[in-house]
Amino acid sequence: MSAEMLALWSALSLYAIAGSLALAGVARARFAEAWVMGLLALGLALHAAAIGVRWERLGHGPFLTMYEILSSNVWSLLAIYLLACWRLPVLRPSAAIVLPVLFVMMLWLATQDPREGHLPPTYRTLLLYVHVGFGKAFLGAVLVAVGLAGMVLARLTRRGAAWFAALPSDQQLDELAYRFLAVALVCETLMLIAGAVWAQDAWGRYWAWDPLETWAFLTWLLLAGALHARSSFRPAPPAGAALAIAVFVLAFLTFFGVPFVTTAPHQGAI
Amino acid sequence: MRIARIRLEPAPWRGAAAWLGSPRLALALFALLGVAVAAAGRGAAPAGGLLAVPLALLALNLGCAIATHASFRQQPALLVFHVALLALVLLAAAGRLTYLNGTLEISVGEEFSGALTQREQGPLHGDAIERLAFTQLEFAVHYQPGMKRAQTESRVAWRDAAGRPREAVVGDDAPLRLAGYRFYTTPNKGFAPEFVWRSAQGREAMRGTVHLPSYPAQLAAQEQDWTPPGATQPLRLRLEFEERLVDLGKPWILRAPGAHALAVESGATRARLRPGDTLALAEGTVHYAGLRMWMGYSVFYDWTLPWLLAAAALAAGALGAHYLGRFRREPWRPGAERP
Ligand code: HEM
């Protein structure tokens, strides 16, 4: 096994252990915070090494193949989540919700072909990093909101209420989720702007409603709509939570579903 | 007395504007726009037509909201954000009225003179493109092993506004920019046999190129029918390589082959021409001058681009400022004391 694969699989194993601990922790109402966060941090370091080794070997970042995109997104989502948990301890029990979501991506990653892809001629630009960077920040912020939303919704059940009993009120969790959605909207707006500038350079048009552009715009519209709905209707926390989850689902399908079902446009290569 | 009382009541248009500018209507229009975008994405109809109505309604809604909502006056950053959104919609509409999108093919050594092979334009697009000119010089297209296209370097020459000769290498994401028009190289390019045609009626000789199908996309089909000017009988042209141009195992650069022949078929006449050969036909003589290359470009014109970018950047900045101001006033940690 190559050093890259060894580091990646070690990282994935640590994530799996951390996730199991988090789930067992909330179920027994004795959440081993330090262990979960520590294992995640260690996993992230190993995962960063795997990505770094590959970057060094291929001479380009993890932006091309589904394997690279999934791997770098698992990394960035966890990194953003961990950073948020570090600053806001109230988020930590949501690991029991966030990590299982990421396991879906990790399982998918495990099935992907790790061979190298072809770097299109239009990828030598700073815009790539701006576009991808804001995209990752956007998805990370929505993921944190999903963790909070998941706890609010779980508390609708008796068991969930027991699991997350020690947390602040639903209103307070909802307000925090709303802030992360607001951050997400700003990041997504910047991602779309950088993407449009890049598309103008790379394909001679800034926006053409290809499937990825269509879905990305729908995600932006839903997120803006969700924030509007909050200020016009003041929905109860569970309804706000459902909106946050809907945004994540649409964003997830846009990021990972659309490139999976259509290969022709928005890929730049050929 | 009565007059004074009437004056105190809100003007009727304000009531209508408040209704038209209501955030609830905005949400309904968001949903309508979402449906239209999804339909456009599925190719149900051209995006411009489908999106025009929801976007026009949203612009009206947004304009009325900006005019009537008190919350905007208390939150200037939010106001700037929404004004920038309105500007974006209006600019996009202006862009659709005046844009041009087209394609062209041009042989090495030829001058572009406004002729496009395909064009699509807004109803208010002028004819400035007909006055543009540039000359195609040599180009190189680099390939990675396994037929993967890498950099394109296309040399072009033109005269700037002051009449000075200019030259540049363009390609991929670096277009040639002339008077607001952007010319981008495309993956479409290939070989162009050059002929001198002299018709049997003894009219003036004509020199020109015939573009064979795109290479290497149509690697196995380097054939083209061509009817010389004024003739009736088409010629079937086929390029025959006598050297290996492409080595799939190594990086290579697309160029015109040195050793080659041009097979020509016209009725019962068959010939293999090499550069410098002349073939006599019933309707005239065709002289094969040699093999050149042609490059395919797409051309794009939209004067709103820098304004769109400015409006979008302003919107993003104002939204960020709005939230920054709002969240700074309240603590992030639930339960924590205010700073
Ligand atoms: C098209 C008609 C629109 C109308 C009538 C409208 C109206 C409003 C109003 C009145 C507010 C203030 C809400 C409050 O302070 O409680 C607001 C806030 C906001 N609007 Fe719009 N807006 C429109 C379009 C948009 C669009 C297209 C976006 C897209 C991103 C957007 C994003 C926002 C955001 C993010 C806020 C801040 C909400 C918050 O502070 O939580 N608006 N809008």
Side-chain angles (χ1 to χ4, degrees):
Chain A
M1 198 187 258
S2 67
E4 177 196 336
M5 284 301 165
L6 195 62
L8 178 69
W9 280 98
S10 313
L12 292 181
S13 310
L14 289 174
Y15 298 154
I17 298 170
S20 315
L21 270 182
L23 281 169
V26 291
R28 287 184 298 119
R30 269 216 321 273
F31 186 64
E33 230 173 71
W35 275 99
V36 172
M37 298 297 140
L39 287 171
L40 285 181
L42 193 60
L44 271 175
L46 282 167
H47 195 165
I51 292 174
V53 165
R54 184 183 176 89
W55 195 320
E56 179 65 30
R57 177 165 61 86
L58 301 182
H60 63 73
F63 317 117
L64 298 181
T65 64
M66 203 61 190
Y67 166 84
E68 290 171 343
I69 291 171
L70 281 169
S71 175
S72 69
N73 275 289
V74 167
W75 187 86
S76 63
L77 286 172
L78 269 174
I80 291 167
Y81 177 69
L82 204 62
L83 192 71
C85 284
W86 171 54
R87 300 298 301 161
L88 298 167
V90 63
L91 284 171
R92 293 176 192 169
S94 71
I97 289 157
V98 166
L99 290 176
V101 173
L102 290 180
F103 286 158
V104 176
M105 287 172 73
M106 293 180 203
L107 281 176
W108 192 0
L109 169 62
T111 67
Q112 293 299 307
D113 181 352
R115 274 178 308 184
E116 93 179 89
H118 165 64
L119 189 72
T122 51
Y123 270 51
R124 288 162 216 280
T125 162
L126 186 65
L127 286 168
L128 164 66
Y129 299 91
V130 179
H131 180 60
V132 171
F134 279 118
K136 288 185 185 315
F138 153 65
L139 207 58
V142 182
L143 182 69
V144 175
V146 161
L148 288 157
M151 296 195 292
V152 168
L153 290 179
R155 287 212 289 207
L156 291 175
T157 66
R158 188 179 299 162
R159 182 171 293 176
W163 286 355
F164 300 112
L167 292 171
S169 72
D170 282 356
Q171 276 72 19
Q172 285 172 309
L173 296 183
D174 186 54
E175 162 69 17
L176 200 55
Y178 158 68
R179 291 185 176 205
F180 278 96
L181 288 184
V183 171
L185 181 62
V186 176
C187 291
E188 192 185 17
T189 305
L190 291 167
M191 171 186 84
L192 293 184
I193 294 172
V197 173
W198 188 14
Q200 182 64 51
D201 287 346
W203 304 320
R205 88 290 188 293
Y206 63 91
W207 197 276
W209 302 110
D210 79 19
L212 205 56
E213 288 162 358
T214 300
W215 281 74
F217 182 81
L218 289 174
T219 308
W220 184 82
L221 203 60
L222 181 65
L223 181 48
L227 291 173
H228 258 217
R230 282 189 109 99
S231 57
S232 335
F233 298 112
R234 311 233 160 263
L243 276 174
I245 288 172
V247 170
F248 182 77
V249 169
L250 196 52
F252 191 89
L253 289 176
T254 303
F255 270 64
F256 308 109
V258 178
F260 194 60
V261 292
T262 78
T263 50
H266 213 102
Q267 290 227 326
I270 312 155
Chain B
M1 289 312 226
R2 263 189 85 202
I3 293 169
R5 205 183 289 160
I6 288 169
R7 276 216 195 111
L8 283 176
E9 279 172 15
W13 70 267
R14 280 202 79 82
W19 185 84
L20 280 174
S22 86
R24 281 163 198 252
L25 183 60
L27 272 180
L29 292 174
F30 275 28
L32 183 66
L33 179 61
V35 171
V37 164
R42 300 181 137 266
L50 270 172
L51 303 186
V53 172
L55 282 176
L57 291 174
L58 259 180
L60 180 67
N61 173 235
L62 193 50
C64 290
I66 290 168
T68 57
H69 266 278
S71 59
F72 284 139
R73 246 143 286 146
Q74 291 137 17
Q75 307 179 72
L78 194 61
L79 175 63
V80 172
F81 167 69
H82 285 83
V83 171
L85 280 182
L86 183 57
L88 267 177
V89 176
L90 297 179
L91 281 167
R96 285 293 89 184
L97 290 176
T98 50
Y99 81 106
L100 174 127
N101 222 338
T103 55
L104 61 115
E105 291 176 4
I106 179 169
S107 301
V108 169
E110 248 174 31
E111 175 158 290
F112 168 74
S113 56
L116 300 179
T117 46
Q118 257 176 44
R119 76 197 280 164
E120 197 192 284
Q121 63 185 55
L124 303 183
H125 185 81
D127 57 0
I129 192 164
E130 265 109 65
R131 293 188 291 279
L132 297 184
F134 72 88
T135 303
Q136 176 67 52
L137 307 177
E138 293 295 328
F139 66 83
V141 183
H142 299 259
Y143 279 82
Q144 291 300 311
M147 201 62 92
K148 301 271 169 68
R149 186 168 51 84
Q151 261 62 36
T152 297
E153 292 155 359
S154 177
R155 190 167 276 285
V156 288
W158 72 99
R159 285 187 181 278
D160 65 15
R164 280 182 302 259
R166 301 278 306 273
E167 221 181 279
V169 176
V170 299
D172 303 312
D173 46 5
L176 165 65
R177 294 171 188 228
L178 294 178
Y181 290 83
R182 297 162 186 239
F183 295 84
Y184 297 86
T185 58
T186 65
N188 216 17
K189 73 275 162 190
F191 303 113
E194 181 184 9
F195 298 106
V196 179
W197 168 252
R198 210 169 249 114
S199 73
Q201 286 90 31
R203 266 190 254 130
E204 231 180 292
M206 297 175 83
R207 180 180 281 268
T209 56
V210 175
H211 294 180
L212 296 179
S214 185
Y215 190 90
Q218 308 280 331
L219 189 89
Q222 290 299 303
E223 286 186 337
Q224 184 71 47
D225 282 348
W226 171 57
T227 309
T232 53
Q233 174 88 15
L235 307 183
R236 165 130 287 234
L237 310 173
R238 194 176 65 252
L239 183 59
E240 292 178 352
F241 300 103
E242 289 168 345
E243 65 177 287
R244 226 169 120 196
L245 223 53
V246 179
D247 184 345
L248 281 184
K250 289 198 218 136
W252 56 284
I253 298 177
L254 177 62
R255 58 180 171 81
H260 73 276
L262 194 66
V264 180
E265 227 181 284
S266 171
T269 314
R270 263 153 231 254
R272 290 184 90 232
L273 303 182
R274 299 193 179 271
D277 288 352
T278 303
L279 177 66
L281 297 163
E283 296 183 286
T285 60
V286 58
H287 171 77
Y288 177 41
L291 196 60
R292 295 208 231 157
M293 307 282 295
W294 62 267
M295 172 54 77
Y297 287 88
S298 66
V299 52
F300 183 84
Y301 173 87
D302 188 341
W303 65 271
T304 64
L305 283 184
W307 302 101
L308 280 173
L309 179 59
L314 183 64
L319 189 64
H322 167 67
Y323 284 129
L324 215 61
R326 175 183 260 202
F327 297 154
R328 222 181 336 201
R329 267 177 268 132
E330 301 277 339
W332 275 77
R333 296 184 188 204
E337 294 304 316
R338 285 183 184 214

